[in-house]
Amino acid sequence: MEVQVAPLRAWDDFFPGSDRFALPDLKDISKWNNRVVSNLLYYQTNYLMVAAALVSIVGFLSPLNMLIGGTVVVLVFLGFVWMSHNKDILRKLKKQYPTTFVLAIMLSSYFLISYLGDVMVFMFGITLPLLLMFVHASLRLRNIQNKLQNKMEGIGLKKTPMGFILDALEQQEDSINKLADYISKVKE
């Protein structure tokens, strides 16, 4: 399947007034997870632009440390994903507690970078963009177009870079998983 880059969403849709934002229901973790996954898929190009701007600023100020920090984070992420595919206990942790899994990756990266050098580059260049993405995805309410685009991604009609990352983390909307399972059974 060919990878498609998601379109850049209008900035007034991405970050308007408070009428489209609300605190998630902390009692229903599944619903909150679906909101985050849905928003990560829908606004992925906007998130990439914001992250690229922050990484560029920090990279300009400290290029070698940013390169080292980025390399460490990518290697730790790939190591955790590989281990989770080969160890059942990590696979269950990743599936049931995705935030814990990502925090473990970030903490491992933090300790490796603190061993190698400048921790502030890690904090501002790598962690801050990820934190901003998570906060926005948690607070932003979904709309009809958002849900439709995510259904298309979930049943395999299109595949985006964020879709690949979320697949590696085994994070998809529950309803999308059920629909994809149903479609695969019908094909058989």
Side-chain angles (χ1 to χ4, degrees), residues 83-84 86-97 101:
M83 286 188 322
S84 71
N86 293 317
K87 301 286 184 188
D88 285 337
I89 191 163
L90 285 176
R91 176 173 281 174
K92 289 176 186 174
L93 173 75
K94 180 173 69 171
K95 188 75 172 164
Q96 293 176 343
Y97 305 104
F101 188 76

Side-chain angles (χ1 to χ4, degrees), residues 4 10 15 19-20 49-50 62 66 72 115 121-122 129 162:
Q4 299 175 358
F15 198 74
D19 58 333
R20 295 186 186 162
M49 298 297 283
V50 170
S62 185
M66 190 63 195
V72 167
Y115 179 73
V121 171
F122 171 78
M162 184 65 75

Side-chain angles (χ1 to χ4, degrees), residues 17-31:
S18 61
D19 58 333
R20 295 186 186 162
F21 289 87
L23 289 175
D25 183 9
L26 300 177
K27 295 175 186 167
D28 189 355
I29 299 297
S30 177
K31 190 174 181 181

Side-chain angles (χ1 to χ4, degrees), residues 77-157:
F77 175 77
L78 292 174
F80 267 82
V81 169
W82 178 81
M83 286 188 322
S84 71
H85 284 291
N86 293 317
K87 301 286 184 188
D88 285 337
I89 191 163
L90 285 176
R91 176 173 281 174
K92 289 176 186 174
L93 173 75
K94 180 173 69 171
K95 188 75 172 164
Q96 293 176 343
Y97 305 104
T99 305
T100 305
F101 188 76
V102 172
L103 283 175
I105 291 171
M106 297 309 292
L107 286 174
S108 299
S109 300
Y110 173 82
F111 288 120
L112 281 172
I113 291 171
S114 67
Y115 179 73
L116 296 174
D118 198 355
V119 173
M120 291 312 288
V121 171
F122 171 78
M123 296 304 288
F124 287 109
I126 298 167
T127 306
L128 183 62
L130 291 175
L131 179 65
L132 290 175
M133 284 183 227
F134 179 73
V135 168
H136 182 273
S138 292
L139 298 177
R140 180 68 169 88
L141 297 173
R142 296 180 287 176
N143 56 30
I144 299 297
Q145 186 177 5
N146 180 324
K147 292 176 183 178
L148 179 64
Q149 290 294 322
N150 292 333
K151 299 284 187 225
M152 289 175 58
E153 171 93 20
I155 61 175
L157 295 178

